[in-house]
mmCIF file of all heavy atoms in Angstrom:
data_model
loop_
_atom_site.group_PDB
_atom_site.id
_atom_site.type_symbol
_atom_site.label_atom_id
_atom_site.label_comp_id
_atom_site.label_asym_id
_atom_site.label_seq_id
_atom_site.Cartn_x
_atom_site.Cartn_y
_atom_site.Cartn_z
ATOM 1 N N SER A 1 36.713 44.086 -9.557
ATOM 2 C CA SER A 1 37.319 42.792 -8.985
ATOM 3 C C SER A 1 36.320 41.870 -8.183
ATOM 4 O O SER A 1 36.756 40.957 -7.638
ATOM 5 C CB SER A 1 38.497 43.135 -8.160
ATOM 6 O OG SER A 1 38.153 43.951 -7.095
ATOM 7 N N GLY A 2 35.057 42.293 -8.180
ATOM 8 C CA GLY A 2 34.125 41.364 -7.562
ATOM 9 C C GLY A 2 33.060 42.208 -6.789
ATOM 10 O O GLY A 2 32.858 43.353 -6.996
ATOM 11 N N HIS A 3 32.350 41.527 -5.851
ATOM 12 C CA HIS A 3 31.250 42.150 -5.070
ATOM 13 C C HIS A 3 31.548 41.867 -3.578
ATOM 14 O O HIS A 3 32.232 40.979 -3.201
ATOM 15 C CB HIS A 3 29.918 41.582 -5.460
ATOM 16 C CG HIS A 3 29.577 41.779 -6.902
ATOM 17 N ND1 HIS A 3 29.911 40.939 -7.865
ATOM 18 C CD2 HIS A 3 28.869 42.815 -7.485
ATOM 19 C CE1 HIS A 3 29.450 41.335 -9.055
ATOM 20 N NE2 HIS A 3 28.878 42.512 -8.824
ATOM 21 N N THR A 4 30.809 42.671 -2.783
ATOM 22 C CA THR A 4 30.938 42.416 -1.363
ATOM 23 C C THR A 4 29.567 42.964 -0.724
ATOM 24 O O THR A 4 28.812 43.728 -1.404
ATOM 25 C CB THR A 4 32.079 43.199 -0.642
ATOM 26 O OG1 THR A 4 32.089 42.815 0.705
ATOM 27 C CG2 THR A 4 31.854 44.668 -0.739
ATOM 28 N N THR A 5 29.232 42.490 0.406
ATOM 29 C CA THR A 5 28.082 42.852 1.173
ATOM 30 C C THR A 5 28.377 43.309 2.507
ATOM 31 O O THR A 5 29.095 42.659 3.296
ATOM 32 C CB THR A 5 27.035 41.660 1.274
ATOM 33 O OG1 THR A 5 26.776 41.243 -0.047
ATOM 34 C CG2 THR A 5 25.747 42.174 1.910
ATOM 35 N N ASP A 6 27.947 44.551 2.876
ATOM 36 C CA ASP A 6 28.197 45.085 4.213
ATOM 37 C C ASP A 6 26.877 44.843 5.088
ATOM 38 O O ASP A 6 25.741 45.000 4.612
ATOM 39 C CB ASP A 6 28.462 46.617 4.123
ATOM 40 C CG ASP A 6 29.677 46.872 3.367
ATOM 41 O OD1 ASP A 6 30.625 45.972 3.314
ATOM 42 O OD2 ASP A 6 29.778 47.940 2.653
ATOM 43 N N HIS A 7 27.079 44.633 6.330
ATOM 44 C CA HIS A 7 25.962 44.293 7.221
ATOM 45 C C HIS A 7 25.956 45.293 8.402
ATOM 46 O O HIS A 7 27.027 45.600 8.980
ATOM 47 C CB HIS A 7 26.098 42.892 7.771
ATOM 48 C CG HIS A 7 26.113 41.840 6.723
ATOM 49 N ND1 HIS A 7 27.220 41.548 5.946
ATOM 50 C CD2 HIS A 7 25.230 40.933 6.320
ATOM 51 C CE1 HIS A 7 27.022 40.572 5.075
ATOM 52 N NE2 HIS A 7 25.707 40.196 5.334
ATOM 53 N N PHE A 8 24.727 45.679 8.758
ATOM 54 C CA PHE A 8 24.561 46.624 9.915
ATOM 55 C C PHE A 8 23.447 46.256 10.729
ATOM 56 O O PHE A 8 22.405 45.782 10.345
ATOM 57 C CB PHE A 8 24.388 48.071 9.297
ATOM 58 C CG PHE A 8 25.410 48.561 8.360
ATOM 59 C CD1 PHE A 8 25.312 48.288 7.063
ATOM 60 C CD2 PHE A 8 26.422 49.343 8.875
ATOM 61 C CE1 PHE A 8 26.295 48.680 6.175
ATOM 62 C CE2 PHE A 8 27.419 49.778 7.971
ATOM 63 C CZ PHE A 8 27.359 49.546 6.641
ATOM 64 N N VAL A 9 23.655 46.381 12.048
ATOM 65 C CA VAL A 9 22.602 46.153 13.053
ATOM 66 C C VAL A 9 22.449 47.350 13.852
ATOM 67 O O VAL A 9 23.441 47.739 14.578
ATOM 68 C CB VAL A 9 22.859 44.889 13.888
ATOM 69 C CG1 VAL A 9 21.731 44.691 15.033
ATOM 70 C CG2 VAL A 9 22.941 43.644 13.092
ATOM 71 N N ASN A 10 21.322 48.047 13.800
ATOM 72 C CA ASN A 10 21.134 49.398 14.510
ATOM 73 C C ASN A 10 22.179 50.305 14.113
ATOM 74 O O ASN A 10 22.684 51.079 15.030
ATOM 75 C CB ASN A 10 21.071 49.037 15.946
ATOM 76 C CG ASN A 10 19.802 48.240 16.411
ATOM 77 O OD1 ASN A 10 18.784 48.391 15.840
ATOM 78 N ND2 ASN A 10 19.916 47.462 17.478
ATOM 79 N N GLY A 11 22.582 50.316 12.810
ATOM 80 C CA GLY A 11 23.574 51.258 12.407
ATOM 81 C C GLY A 11 24.990 50.841 12.656
ATOM 82 O O GLY A 11 25.920 51.603 12.184
ATOM 83 N N VAL A 12 25.214 49.776 13.310
ATOM 84 C CA VAL A 12 26.638 49.394 13.699
ATOM 85 C C VAL A 12 27.028 48.297 12.662
ATOM 86 O O VAL A 12 26.426 47.279 12.529
ATOM 87 C CB VAL A 12 26.670 48.808 15.070
ATOM 88 C CG1 VAL A 12 28.130 48.387 15.475
ATOM 89 C CG2 VAL A 12 26.086 49.863 16.113
ATOM 90 N N PRO A 13 28.272 48.533 11.991
ATOM 91 C CA PRO A 13 28.769 47.497 11.059
ATOM 92 C C PRO A 13 29.115 46.258 11.848
ATOM 93 O O PRO A 13 29.782 46.358 12.960
ATOM 94 C CB PRO A 13 30.011 48.115 10.476
ATOM 95 C CG PRO A 13 29.835 49.621 10.779
ATOM 96 C CD PRO A 13 29.132 49.752 11.985
ATOM 97 N N VAL A 14 28.690 45.114 11.357
ATOM 98 C CA VAL A 14 28.999 43.822 11.917
ATOM 99 C C VAL A 14 29.464 42.894 10.844
ATOM 100 O O VAL A 14 29.180 43.001 9.736
ATOM 101 C CB VAL A 14 27.831 43.267 12.714
ATOM 102 C CG1 VAL A 14 27.522 44.049 13.927
ATOM 103 C CG2 VAL A 14 26.630 43.028 11.800
ATOM 104 N N ALA A 15 30.119 41.765 11.263
ATOM 105 C CA ALA A 15 30.572 40.781 10.360
ATOM 106 C C ALA A 15 29.328 39.971 9.873
ATOM 107 O O ALA A 15 28.314 39.887 10.672
ATOM 108 C CB ALA A 15 31.629 39.843 10.985
ATOM 109 N N GLU A 16 29.436 39.295 8.748
ATOM 110 C CA GLU A 16 28.228 38.606 8.227
ATOM 111 C C GLU A 16 27.789 37.434 9.208
ATOM 112 O O GLU A 16 26.633 37.290 9.505
ATOM 113 C CB GLU A 16 28.491 37.948 6.936
ATOM 114 C CG GLU A 16 27.448 37.044 6.392
ATOM 115 C CD GLU A 16 27.734 36.559 4.979
ATOM 116 O OE1 GLU A 16 28.939 36.680 4.544
ATOM 117 O OE2 GLU A 16 26.826 35.928 4.339
ATOM 118 N N LYS A 17 28.811 36.731 9.804
ATOM 119 C CA LYS A 17 28.508 35.709 10.781
ATOM 120 C C LYS A 17 27.750 36.197 11.935
ATOM 121 O O LYS A 17 26.734 35.563 12.377
ATOM 122 C CB LYS A 17 29.809 35.002 11.261
ATOM 123 C CG LYS A 17 29.680 33.791 12.185
ATOM 124 C CD LYS A 17 30.868 33.265 12.516
ATOM 125 C CE LYS A 17 30.706 32.042 13.540
ATOM 126 N NZ LYS A 17 32.016 31.418 13.903
ATOM 127 N N ASP A 18 28.179 37.274 12.494
ATOM 128 C CA ASP A 18 27.479 37.969 13.623
ATOM 129 C C ASP A 18 26.107 38.425 13.291
ATOM 130 O O ASP A 18 25.154 38.358 14.050
ATOM 131 C CB ASP A 18 28.366 39.009 14.235
ATOM 132 C CG ASP A 18 29.716 38.546 14.749
ATOM 133 O OD1 ASP A 18 29.750 37.379 15.210
ATOM 134 O OD2 ASP A 18 30.660 39.302 14.802
ATOM 135 N N TYR A 19 25.962 38.950 12.067
ATOM 136 C CA TYR A 19 24.712 39.478 11.556
ATOM 137 C C TYR A 19 23.757 38.315 11.530
ATOM 138 O O TYR A 19 22.561 38.518 11.948
ATOM 139 C CB TYR A 19 24.896 40.085 10.219
ATOM 140 C CG TYR A 19 23.701 40.683 9.602
ATOM 141 C CD1 TYR A 19 23.271 41.914 9.820
ATOM 142 C CD2 TYR A 19 22.928 39.920 8.703
ATOM 143 C CE1 TYR A 19 22.140 42.473 9.231
ATOM 144 C CE2 TYR A 19 21.722 40.346 8.145
ATOM 145 C CZ TYR A 19 21.345 41.626 8.435
ATOM 146 O OH TYR A 19 20.147 42.130 7.767
ATOM 147 N N MET A 20 24.109 37.220 10.950
ATOM 148 C CA MET A 20 23.212 36.078 10.719
ATOM 149 C C MET A 20 22.828 35.445 12.069
ATOM 150 O O MET A 20 21.758 35.014 12.359
ATOM 151 C CB MET A 20 23.868 34.925 9.881
ATOM 152 C CG MET A 20 24.157 35.410 8.448
ATOM 153 S SD MET A 20 22.661 36.064 7.543
ATOM 154 C CE MET A 20 21.676 34.634 7.553
ATOM 155 N N THR A 21 23.826 35.550 13.053
ATOM 156 C CA THR A 21 23.483 34.981 14.422
ATOM 157 C C THR A 21 22.359 35.865 15.087
ATOM 158 O O THR A 21 21.491 35.340 15.716
ATOM 159 C CB THR A 21 24.795 34.983 15.245
ATOM 160 O OG1 THR A 21 25.740 34.154 14.664
ATOM 161 C CG2 THR A 21 24.495 34.519 16.664
ATOM 162 N N GLN A 22 22.602 37.202 14.961
ATOM 163 C CA GLN A 22 21.567 38.096 15.582
ATOM 164 C C GLN A 22 20.208 37.979 14.931
ATOM 165 O O GLN A 22 19.176 37.980 15.542
ATOM 166 C CB GLN A 22 22.088 39.564 15.490
ATOM 167 C CG GLN A 22 23.291 39.787 16.356
ATOM 168 C CD GLN A 22 23.727 41.236 16.508
ATOM 169 O OE1 GLN A 22 22.801 42.114 16.889
ATOM 170 N NE2 GLN A 22 24.824 41.643 16.262
ATOM 171 N N VAL A 23 20.157 37.693 13.588
ATOM 172 C CA VAL A 23 18.908 37.524 12.895
ATOM 173 C C VAL A 23 18.271 36.334 13.425
ATOM 174 O O VAL A 23 16.992 36.367 13.586
ATOM 175 C CB VAL A 23 19.160 37.511 11.328
ATOM 176 C CG1 VAL A 23 17.886 37.031 10.611
ATOM 177 C CG2 VAL A 23 19.613 38.865 10.875
ATOM 178 N N ALA A 24 18.969 35.179 13.486
ATOM 179 C CA ALA A 24 18.405 33.949 14.028
ATOM 180 C C ALA A 24 17.868 34.173 15.430
ATOM 181 O O ALA A 24 16.811 33.552 15.717
ATOM 182 C CB ALA A 24 19.513 32.822 14.051
ATOM 183 N N GLU A 25 18.493 34.902 16.252
ATOM 184 C CA GLU A 25 17.974 35.160 17.637
ATOM 185 C C GLU A 25 16.750 35.970 17.599
ATOM 186 O O GLU A 25 15.888 35.871 18.464
ATOM 187 C CB GLU A 25 19.041 35.855 18.396
ATOM 188 C CG GLU A 25 20.278 34.981 18.695
ATOM 189 C CD GLU A 25 21.367 35.788 19.475
ATOM 190 O OE1 GLU A 25 21.213 37.000 19.541
ATOM 191 O OE2 GLU A 25 22.416 35.103 19.859
ATOM 192 N N LEU A 26 16.617 36.935 16.542
ATOM 193 C CA LEU A 26 15.478 37.809 16.559
ATOM 194 C C LEU A 26 14.315 37.220 15.948
ATOM 195 O O LEU A 26 13.140 37.268 16.477
ATOM 196 C CB LEU A 26 15.826 39.053 15.660
ATOM 197 C CG LEU A 26 16.896 40.045 16.253
ATOM 198 C CD1 LEU A 26 17.224 41.086 15.216
ATOM 199 C CD2 LEU A 26 16.315 40.636 17.513
ATOM 200 N N VAL A 27 14.370 36.409 14.780
ATOM 201 C CA VAL A 27 13.258 35.896 14.070
ATOM 202 C C VAL A 27 13.205 34.352 14.086
ATOM 203 O O VAL A 27 12.204 33.813 13.604
ATOM 204 C CB VAL A 27 13.233 36.382 12.602
ATOM 205 C CG1 VAL A 27 13.242 37.912 12.573
ATOM 206 C CG2 VAL A 27 14.381 35.798 11.821
ATOM 207 N N GLY A 28 14.207 33.755 14.662
ATOM 208 C CA GLY A 28 14.148 32.301 14.625
ATOM 209 C C GLY A 28 14.799 31.670 13.486
ATOM 210 O O GLY A 28 15.278 32.296 12.532
ATOM 211 N N PRO A 29 14.703 30.311 13.403
ATOM 212 C CA PRO A 29 15.323 29.559 12.209
ATOM 213 C C PRO A 29 14.664 29.963 10.880
ATOM 214 O O PRO A 29 13.441 30.265 10.896
ATOM 215 C CB PRO A 29 15.021 28.054 12.539
ATOM 216 C CG PRO A 29 14.768 28.020 14.014
ATOM 217 C CD PRO A 29 14.221 29.328 14.375
ATOM 218 N N GLU A 30 15.403 29.960 9.771
ATOM 219 C CA GLU A 30 14.834 30.323 8.514
ATOM 220 C C GLU A 30 13.769 29.392 8.068
ATOM 221 O O GLU A 30 12.681 29.981 7.559
ATOM 222 C CB GLU A 30 16.035 30.264 7.518
ATOM 223 C CG GLU A 30 15.553 30.575 6.070
ATOM 224 C CD GLU A 30 16.587 30.378 5.017
ATOM 225 O OE1 GLU A 30 17.754 30.096 5.376
ATOM 226 O OE2 GLU A 30 16.344 30.446 3.873
#
């Protein structure tokens, strides 16, 4: 019925929005 992507930060599952926010804070704008 489709695909999905799971996101983890330091082993903790997080929502995609929170994951992208933390990545931006870590490495800066894409």
Side-chain angles (χ1 to χ4, degrees):
S1 59
H3 299 88
T4 187
T5 303
D6 299 329
H7 302 77
F8 304 86
V9 177
N10 294 326
V12 180
V14 295
E16 180 180 6
K17 181 179 179 181
D18 296 333
Y19 180 88
M20 298 305 296
T21 299
Q22 293 190 51
V23 169
E25 293 175 353
L26 292 172
V27 302
E30 176 185 354

